[in-house]
């Protein structure tokens, strides 16, 4: 009886794996769109993009580095 109920609920809601895939699928599509645009770039432009991304990551992490430095001083 419990097995039947579980099967009915899984049929209606899906299992955990299916729900996870469904939740992540919009991200996968976004990543694939970016990949397509970067795949067409020549090597020099791709290298420049890499440097741009590194700079953006560094800027984004700067507040955390400052916090960490302040904590080390304490």
């Amino acid at each position: 009886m419990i097995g039947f109920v579980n099967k009915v609920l899984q049929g209606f809601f899906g299992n955990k794996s299916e729900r996870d895939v469904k939740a992540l699928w919009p991200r996968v599509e976004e990543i694939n769109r970016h990949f397509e645009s970067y795949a067409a770039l020549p090597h020099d432009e791709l290298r420049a993009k890499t440097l741009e991304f590194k700079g953006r990551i560094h800027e984004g992490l700067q507040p955390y580095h400052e916090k960490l430095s302040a904590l080390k001083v304490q």
Side-chain angles (χ1 to χ4, degrees):
M1 180 71 177
I2 292 175
F4 175 75
V5 172
N6 283 339
K7 285 194 183 261
V8 169
L9 289 175
Q10 279 185 354
F12 187 68
F13 294 110
N15 62 27
K16 172 84 168 103
S17 176
E18 291 169 346
R19 290 191 306 271
D20 289 345
V21 168
K22 186 176 179 180
L24 292 172
W25 195 250
R27 286 276 170 135
V28 171
E29 290 176 337
E30 180 182 358
I31 290 167
N32 286 338
R33 281 193 306 273
H34 288 295
F35 175 79
E36 290 171 7
S37 67
Y38 296 137
L41 292 177
H43 291 296
D44 291 337
E45 288 182 36
L46 192 55
R47 284 187 194 99
K49 277 287 187 192
T50 301
L51 292 175
E52 175 190 333
F53 293 145
K54 286 181 179 181
R56 288 169 52 186
I57 291 169
H58 181 73
E59 287 175 16
L61 292 175
Q62 193 61 35
Y64 298 103
H65 290 300
E66 291 170 3
K67 244 186 216 182
L68 185 59
S69 295
L71 289 172
K72 286 181 180 179
V73 169
Q74 288 179 350

